[in-house]
Amino acid sequence: MRSKVRNHQYVMTVHAWEEMESDGLSVFDVESVILSGRVTERQLDRPWGERKYVIRGPSLEGDDSMVVVAKSGPTGQVVILTVYVE
């Protein structure tokens, strides 16, 4: 997942984009959490059998505890499902 984010092989859902903006975050914050945070939970989406990953880490300013929920998409890209500050 990290190598795909480094190579900009990811997409964000509209929901993730709206949540990011409403919390005053940037795409760089999201990338930073994925690149330097840690996976704290793996979830199985039962209807589709897909795995989602909950990744926690600080924003670039270092004062927020951010959460990014992502999965591997059908094209091999990372799909960022949602973003929020705890």
Side-chain angles (χ1 to χ4, degrees):
M1 191 176 295
R2 288 180 175 162
S3 66
K4 290 190 184 284
V5 169
R6 278 188 203 99
N7 292 312
H8 303 284
Q9 296 176 332
Y10 67 90
V11 295
M12 290 182 67
T13 63
V14 172
H15 174 75
W17 194 265
E18 291 170 347
E19 291 297 313
M20 178 188 73
E21 288 184 334
S22 72
D23 286 344
L25 303 168
S26 71
V27 172
F28 300 115
D29 288 310
V30 174
E31 290 178 349
S32 177
V33 168
I34 294 171
L35 294 174
S36 64
R38 63 186 187 96
V39 174
T40 59
E41 190 177 344
R42 290 172 178 83
Q43 300 173 342
L44 180 63
D45 195 354
R46 294 196 194 286
W48 294 277
E50 297 176 327
R51 294 214 176 267
K52 296 186 289 187
Y53 299 90
V54 179
I55 306 161
R56 287 185 165 78
S59 67
L60 287 176
E61 293 182 10
D63 55 356
D64 296 323
S65 179
M66 278 185 60
V67 177
V68 174
V69 180
K71 69 176 185 175
S72 180
T75 63
Q77 289 185 316
V78 173
V79 178
I80 299 169
L81 302 168
T82 192
V83 176
Y84 58 92
V85 176
E86 288 188 305

